[in-house]
Amino acid sequence: MLAGLGALNYAGGALRITANNVSGGILGGIVAFNAAGTTDLSITVDGAVSVMDISDPTAPPGIRSGIVANNLGSGDLTIVASNASGTAQIDAPDTGIFAANFSGGALDITADNVSGTSDYGIYAENLVGGTSLSVASQGAISGGSIGVYAANYGTGDLNISSTNADGTAQVSGGDDGIRATNENGGALGITVDNVTATGNDAINASNDASGTGLSIVTTGTVIGEDEGIDASHSGTGPLSVTVSGVTTGTTDTGILATTGAGGLSVITLDAGANVSGGEYAIVNRAGDSTTSFNTGSTISGVTRLGLGSDNVTIAGGDISGVTVLDGGDDSDTSDGFVDVLTFSGFAGSVGADLQNWEEIVFDNTQATFTGASITSGLTQLRNGTTFSAAQPGFALSSALSIDGSSTFFTGFGGAGNVMINGDVANTGTISSVDNAAGDQLIINGNLTGMGNLAFDVDVSTATADTISIAGDTVGSGFISVNGFGLTIDPAEIALVDVSGTTSTGAFGLTSTNFTLPDGQDAQIIGAFGYQLRFDAQNQTFLLSPFAEDGTLLLNPAT
């Protein structure tokens, strides 16, 4: 037996085949051919199509595909292997469904369950002269080589869908799960539940220069041996990848996005997403990118965003497993690339090595940074952010901007030695207050703004947290003191020293709690009152228990 059902149309008009269950031979289950001069070709099956088992030693060589459809006519090629219960089944030793549209019209395939043991689950090709190509499944598609192969050289869109209401639709392949190529215009869209590949990529999608956009949406598990998702877009419009399930490239990359210079990749991790890779979690090549880690998502490993202007927003989720978050080329804006990392509404620890960002923004965020350093062009704290360094020797190589509602915290129980290599614009608070004096902050730059500097002062040992400013002070800032201890030997205690230009009015003491008889305000700590004094010779701001005439400022209560 050559085929279970075979039909050849040379006379013109349409060829339509409707069947329930078909058992085929060496050429396949259903074989249909529409010659030039005809129109449409359609095949509808609502049961099972099976083909002689290739493992049968008595079987002669042949095509052995479940459905083979070649349309040289001017119309559409349509294959429906589906029923209301989703149980239609195509099984074949080689390819489950092979469909090629040569001359015109659209190619549409709808199937429940398809298996091609050695080659393709579904092979769909729309050649030059055709329009759109679509493949839709609500069940399981598997191929020994590729689960779904779809190549559109027509002028329309290419769409692949593998979904159902339960989220259990599945595409699997020995090499690739899905390989989709759009070569002659239109958009490429892929929406799937679950895709796996044991050899190469779970999803491999490419759109050439004539394409108008590439979109991939996954809701379940996507696992590839090399890449989980490998998407390349050279056309107009964005490349968009949205995941809400496990996405992994076992030996290489979870999500690999490639656009040309000036192109845009939009990568979104929604609730339920868990992205990782043997080498990288996410890689963006060449073009610009916008990446969002939303609440309920998880990412681990290394993320590298290449040339172009890259924007990453961490709006929630678990980033505790992220080791490197790399913005791309460098942290210098002069090359025209501006990479911005934003923590928005985030609360938790940040331990990743943050590399090559022109700007890092902490917005409405409570972040504890557990790494040793951050390098950036500019670091901003705004909208109620508290940034806490977790390592006593933390170094910020960046300009720092702190708005009026935010705090940069550097307290380490008196053992801190934090360094900021850049200018600081502070209208909020820089604090090391933790009831232990001795923390040090070094600012290798200028300090501007009317913000607050908060210190611990232990009068019993005449020690305090200190700030050293290598540059100038600009503006009138404030100092507040958390004082404690009992004064044994009253002494002046240094708080701020300035190497550049400053003046006596650069800071005022805001933690005063008593007015002296001469009308001056002071802060009572133990048995003495303290005022802020500027030592002009050494350019140091001191907490002093002495009045201008050298007499001690006594606590009237004692």
Side-chain angles (χ1 to χ4, degrees), residues 411-437:
F412 292 94
N417 186 22
V418 173
M419 183 176 295
I420 301 173
N421 296 312
D423 294 335
V424 177
N426 177 35
T427 57
T429 300
I430 297 174
S431 174
S432 52
V433 172
D434 58 3
N435 295 316

PDB file of all heavy atoms in Angstrom, residues 411-437:
ATOM      1  N   GLY A 411      26.150  52.749  58.097  1.00  0.00           N
ATOM      2  CA  GLY A 411      26.526  52.351  59.450  1.00  0.00           C
ATOM      3  C   GLY A 411      26.937  50.894  59.533  1.00  0.00           C
ATOM      4  O   GLY A 411      26.238  49.999  59.053  1.00  0.00           O
ATOM      5  N   PHE A 412      28.085  50.646  60.174  1.00  0.00           N
ATOM      6  CA  PHE A 412      28.597  49.283  60.339  1.00  0.00           C
ATOM      7  C   PHE A 412      29.099  49.061  61.761  1.00  0.00           C
ATOM      8  O   PHE A 412      30.157  48.472  61.979  1.00  0.00           O
ATOM      9  CB  PHE A 412      29.725  49.006  59.347  1.00  0.00           C
ATOM     10  CG  PHE A 412      29.264  48.951  57.916  1.00  0.00           C
ATOM     11  CD1 PHE A 412      29.329  50.078  57.119  1.00  0.00           C
ATOM     12  CD2 PHE A 412      28.738  47.781  57.382  1.00  0.00           C
ATOM     13  CE1 PHE A 412      28.901  50.037  55.807  1.00  0.00           C
ATOM     14  CE2 PHE A 412      28.303  47.741  56.071  1.00  0.00           C
ATOM     15  CZ  PHE A 412      28.383  48.861  55.281  1.00  0.00           C
ATOM     16  N   GLY A 413      28.352  49.543  62.732  1.00  0.00           N
ATOM     17  CA  GLY A 413      28.745  49.321  64.119  1.00  0.00           C
ATOM     18  C   GLY A 413      30.062  49.959  64.480  1.00  0.00           C
ATOM     19  O   GLY A 413      30.784  49.475  65.351  1.00  0.00           O
ATOM     20  N   GLY A 414      30.388  51.065  63.800  1.00  0.00           N
ATOM     21  CA  GLY A 414      31.633  51.764  64.071  1.00  0.00           C
ATOM     22  C   GLY A 414      32.813  51.265  63.268  1.00  0.00           C
ATOM     23  O   GLY A 414      33.919  51.794  63.399  1.00  0.00           O
ATOM     24  N   ALA A 415      32.618  50.259  62.412  1.00  0.00           N
ATOM     25  CA  ALA A 415      33.731  49.654  61.668  1.00  0.00           C
ATOM     26  C   ALA A 415      33.671  49.946  60.176  1.00  0.00           C
ATOM     27  O   ALA A 415      34.439  49.384  59.404  1.00  0.00           O
ATOM     28  CB  ALA A 415      33.750  48.144  61.887  1.00  0.00           C
ATOM     29  N   GLY A 416      32.784  50.821  59.772  1.00  0.00           N
ATOM     30  CA  GLY A 416      32.611  51.070  58.345  1.00  0.00           C
ATOM     31  C   GLY A 416      33.679  51.974  57.764  1.00  0.00           C
ATOM     32  O   GLY A 416      34.201  52.868  58.442  1.00  0.00           O
ATOM     33  N   ASN A 417      34.006  51.726  56.491  1.00  0.00           N
ATOM     34  CA  ASN A 417      34.952  52.564  55.769  1.00  0.00           C
ATOM     35  C   ASN A 417      34.470  52.668  54.325  1.00  0.00           C
ATOM     36  O   ASN A 417      35.064  52.123  53.400  1.00  0.00           O
ATOM     37  CB  ASN A 417      36.360  51.977  55.844  1.00  0.00           C
ATOM     38  CG  ASN A 417      37.399  52.888  55.228  1.00  0.00           C
ATOM     39  OD1 ASN A 417      37.189  54.099  55.108  1.00  0.00           O
ATOM     40  ND2 ASN A 417      38.514  52.321  54.833  1.00  0.00           N
ATOM     41  N   VAL A 418      33.363  53.374  54.124  1.00  0.00           N
ATOM     42  CA  VAL A 418      32.701  53.466  52.832  1.00  0.00           C
ATOM     43  C   VAL A 418      33.294  54.613  52.031  1.00  0.00           C
ATOM     44  O   VAL A 418      33.618  55.673  52.581  1.00  0.00           O
ATOM     45  CB  VAL A 418      31.185  53.659  53.021  1.00  0.00           C
ATOM     46  CG1 VAL A 418      30.493  53.934  51.694  1.00  0.00           C
ATOM     47  CG2 VAL A 418      30.580  52.423  53.686  1.00  0.00           C
ATOM     48  N   MET A 419      33.413  54.384  50.709  1.00  0.00           N
ATOM     49  CA  MET A 419      34.007  55.399  49.834  1.00  0.00           C
ATOM     50  C   MET A 419      33.075  55.688  48.664  1.00  0.00           C
ATOM     51  O   MET A 419      32.516  54.772  48.065  1.00  0.00           O
ATOM     52  CB  MET A 419      35.362  54.913  49.317  1.00  0.00           C
ATOM     53  CG  MET A 419      36.098  55.923  48.446  1.00  0.00           C
ATOM     54  SD  MET A 419      37.748  55.324  47.966  1.00  0.00           S
ATOM     55  CE  MET A 419      38.551  55.244  49.568  1.00  0.00           C
ATOM     56  N   ILE A 420      32.896  56.971  48.360  1.00  0.00           N
ATOM     57  CA  ILE A 420      32.167  57.406  47.175  1.00  0.00           C
ATOM     58  C   ILE A 420      33.147  58.128  46.273  1.00  0.00           C
ATOM     59  O   ILE A 420      33.686  59.181  46.644  1.00  0.00           O
ATOM     60  CB  ILE A 420      30.993  58.335  47.529  1.00  0.00           C
ATOM     61  CG1 ILE A 420      30.003  57.639  48.466  1.00  0.00           C
ATOM     62  CG2 ILE A 420      30.278  58.793  46.263  1.00  0.00           C
ATOM     63  CD1 ILE A 420      28.905  58.536  48.984  1.00  0.00           C
ATOM     64  N   ASN A 421      33.401  57.568  45.112  1.00  0.00           N
ATOM     65  CA  ASN A 421      34.319  58.174  44.156  1.00  0.00           C
ATOM     66  C   ASN A 421      33.513  58.959  43.126  1.00  0.00           C
ATOM     67  O   ASN A 421      33.216  58.475  42.040  1.00  0.00           O
ATOM     68  CB  ASN A 421      35.157  57.090  43.478  1.00  0.00           C
ATOM     69  CG  ASN A 421      36.050  56.354  44.453  1.00  0.00           C
ATOM     70  OD1 ASN A 421      36.745  56.971  45.249  1.00  0.00           O
ATOM     71  ND2 ASN A 421      36.018  55.024  44.408  1.00  0.00           N
ATOM     72  N   GLY A 422      33.139  60.172  43.501  1.00  0.00           N
ATOM     73  CA  GLY A 422      32.321  61.008  42.640  1.00  0.00           C
ATOM     74  C   GLY A 422      31.673  62.109  43.447  1.00  0.00           C
ATOM     75  O   GLY A 422      31.735  62.130  44.683  1.00  0.00           O
ATOM     76  N   ASP A 423      31.029  63.041  42.750  1.00  0.00           N
ATOM     77  CA  ASP A 423      30.329  64.134  43.423  1.00  0.00           C
ATOM     78  C   ASP A 423      29.026  63.627  44.033  1.00  0.00           C
ATOM     79  O   ASP A 423      28.380  62.720  43.495  1.00  0.00           O
ATOM     80  CB  ASP A 423      30.019  65.258  42.436  1.00  0.00           C
ATOM     81  CG  ASP A 423      31.274  65.936  41.905  1.00  0.00           C
ATOM     82  OD1 ASP A 423      32.308  65.891  42.600  1.00  0.00           O
ATOM     83  OD2 ASP A 423      31.232  66.485  40.799  1.00  0.00           O
ATOM     84  N   VAL A 424      28.629  64.251  45.154  1.00  0.00           N
ATOM     85  CA  VAL A 424      27.404  63.886  45.853  1.00  0.00           C
ATOM     86  C   VAL A 424      26.493  65.112  45.912  1.00  0.00           C
ATOM     87  O   VAL A 424      26.895  66.168  46.402  1.00  0.00           O
ATOM     88  CB  VAL A 424      27.688  63.366  47.271  1.00  0.00           C
ATOM     89  CG1 VAL A 424      26.382  63.064  48.000  1.00  0.00           C
ATOM     90  CG2 VAL A 424      28.563  62.125  47.215  1.00  0.00           C
ATOM     91  N   ALA A 425      25.267  64.945  45.391  1.00  0.00           N
ATOM     92  CA  ALA A 425      24.235  65.972  45.511  1.00  0.00           C
ATOM     93  C   ALA A 425      23.192  65.438  46.479  1.00  0.00           C
ATOM     94  O   ALA A 425      22.444  64.512  46.160  1.00  0.00           O
ATOM     95  CB  ALA A 425      23.612  66.269  44.154  1.00  0.00           C
ATOM     96  N   ASN A 426      23.124  66.032  47.674  1.00  0.00           N
ATOM     97  CA  ASN A 426      22.300  65.475  48.746  1.00  0.00           C
ATOM     98  C   ASN A 426      21.261  66.486  49.212  1.00  0.00           C
ATOM     99  O   ASN A 426      21.593  67.521  49.793  1.00  0.00           O
ATOM    100  CB  ASN A 426      23.190  65.070  49.930  1.00  0.00           C
ATOM    101  CG  ASN A 426      22.378  64.549  51.100  1.00  0.00           C
ATOM    102  OD1 ASN A 426      21.354  63.892  50.917  1.00  0.00           O
ATOM    103  ND2 ASN A 426      22.830  64.862  52.311  1.00  0.00           N
ATOM    104  N   THR A 427      20.005  66.170  48.946  1.00  0.00           N
ATOM    105  CA  THR A 427      18.922  66.921  49.577  1.00  0.00           C
ATOM    106  C   THR A 427      18.151  66.031  50.543  1.00  0.00           C
ATOM    107  O   THR A 427      17.158  66.459  51.110  1.00  0.00           O
ATOM    108  CB  THR A 427      17.966  67.501  48.522  1.00  0.00           C
ATOM    109  OG1 THR A 427      17.457  66.444  47.720  1.00  0.00           O
ATOM    110  CG2 THR A 427      18.672  68.511  47.642  1.00  0.00           C
ATOM    111  N   GLY A 428      18.603  64.788  50.701  1.00  0.00           N
ATOM    112  CA  GLY A 428      17.986  63.843  51.625  1.00  0.00           C
ATOM    113  C   GLY A 428      18.858  63.635  52.842  1.00  0.00           C
ATOM    114  O   GLY A 428      19.216  64.592  53.528  1.00  0.00           O
ATOM    115  N   THR A 429      19.240  62.387  53.111  1.00  0.00           N
ATOM    116  CA  THR A 429      20.006  62.059  54.313  1.00  0.00           C
ATOM    117  C   THR A 429      21.117  61.075  53.985  1.00  0.00           C
ATOM    118  O   THR A 429      20.898  60.078  53.291  1.00  0.00           O
ATOM    119  CB  THR A 429      19.095  61.440  55.385  1.00  0.00           C
ATOM    120  OG1 THR A 429      18.077  62.370  55.733  1.00  0.00           O
ATOM    121  CG2 THR A 429      19.886  61.067  56.628  1.00  0.00           C
ATOM    122  N   ILE A 430      22.308  61.375  54.501  1.00  0.00           N
ATOM    123  CA  ILE A 430      23.404  60.414  54.543  1.00  0.00           C
ATOM    124  C   ILE A 430      23.595  60.069  56.008  1.00  0.00           C
ATOM    125  O   ILE A 430      23.898  60.944  56.832  1.00  0.00           O
ATOM    126  CB  ILE A 430      24.695  60.997  53.947  1.00  0.00           C
ATOM    127  CG1 ILE A 430      24.488  61.332  52.464  1.00  0.00           C
ATOM    128  CG2 ILE A 430      25.847  60.017  54.117  1.00  0.00           C
ATOM    129  CD1 ILE A 430      25.672  62.040  51.827  1.00  0.00           C
ATOM    130  N   SER A 431      23.397  58.804  56.349  1.00  0.00           N
ATOM    131  CA  SER A 431      23.363  58.426  57.766  1.00  0.00           C
ATOM    132  C   SER A 431      24.237  57.210  58.039  1.00  0.00           C
ATOM    133  O   SER A 431      24.263  56.252  57.252  1.00  0.00           O
ATOM    134  CB  SER A 431      21.928  58.109  58.186  1.00  0.00           C
ATOM    135  OG  SER A 431      21.895  57.609  59.513  1.00  0.00           O
ATOM    136  N   SER A 432      24.931  57.269  59.164  1.00  0.00           N
ATOM    137  CA  SER A 432      25.643  56.101  59.682  1.00  0.00           C
ATOM    138  C   SER A 432      25.181  55.805  61.107  1.00  0.00           C
ATOM    139  O   SER A 432      25.889  55.145  61.867  1.00  0.00           O
ATOM    140  CB  SER A 432      27.157  56.349  59.649  1.00  0.00           C
ATOM    141  OG  SER A 432      27.481  57.575  60.294  1.00  0.00           O
ATOM    142  N   VAL A 433      23.999  56.287  61.453  1.00  0.00           N
ATOM    143  CA  VAL A 433      23.497  56.174  62.825  1.00  0.00           C
ATOM    144  C   VAL A 433      23.045  54.745  63.105  1.00  0.00           C
ATOM    145  O   VAL A 433      22.091  54.239  62.499  1.00  0.00           O
ATOM    146  CB  VAL A 433      22.339  57.160  63.062  1.00  0.00           C
ATOM    147  CG1 VAL A 433      21.683  56.901  64.411  1.00  0.00           C
ATOM    148  CG2 VAL A 433      22.848  58.588  62.975  1.00  0.00           C
ATOM    149  N   ASP A 434      23.761  54.089  64.016  1.00  0.00           N
ATOM    150  CA  ASP A 434      23.407  52.736  64.463  1.00  0.00           C
ATOM    151  C   ASP A 434      23.828  52.505  65.913  1.00  0.00           C
ATOM    152  O   ASP A 434      24.038  51.371  66.334  1.00  0.00           O
ATOM    153  CB  ASP A 434      24.041  51.687  63.547  1.00  0.00           C
ATOM    154  CG  ASP A 434      25.562  51.809  63.476  1.00  0.00           C
ATOM    155  OD1 ASP A 434      26.142  52.663  64.180  1.00  0.00           O
ATOM    156  OD2 ASP A 434      26.181  51.043  62.710  1.00  0.00           O
ATOM    157  N   ASN A 435      24.005  53.633  66.671  1.00  0.00           N
ATOM    158  CA  ASN A 435      24.365  53.584  68.093  1.00  0.00           C
ATOM    159  C   ASN A 435      25.768  53.026  68.320  1.00  0.00           C
ATOM    160  O   ASN A 435      26.041  52.458  69.394  1.00  0.00           O
ATOM    161  CB  ASN A 435      23.338  52.786  68.899  1.00  0.00           C
ATOM    162  CG  ASN A 435      21.985  53.446  68.918  1.00  0.00           C
ATOM    163  OD1 ASN A 435      21.878  54.668  69.111  1.00  0.00           O
ATOM    164  ND2 ASN A 435      20.934  52.672  68.673  1.00  0.00           N
ATOM    165  N   ALA A 436      26.650  53.189  67.334  1.00  0.00           N
ATOM    166  CA  ALA A 436      28.046  52.795  67.496  1.00  0.00           C
ATOM    167  C   ALA A 436      28.895  53.772  66.701  1.00  0.00           C
ATOM    168  O   ALA A 436      28.780  53.856  65.477  1.00  0.00           O
ATOM    169  CB  ALA A 436      28.287  51.368  67.023  1.00  0.00           C
ATOM    170  N   ALA A 437      29.740  54.540  67.401  1.00  0.00           N
ATOM    171  CA  ALA A 437      30.543  55.569  66.748  1.00  0.00           C
ATOM    172  C   ALA A 437      31.788  54.964  66.115  1.00  0.00           C
ATOM    173  O   ALA A 437      32.301  53.930  66.566  1.00  0.00           O
ATOM    174  CB  ALA A 437      30.940  56.642  67.764  1.00  0.00           C
TER     175      ALA A 437
END
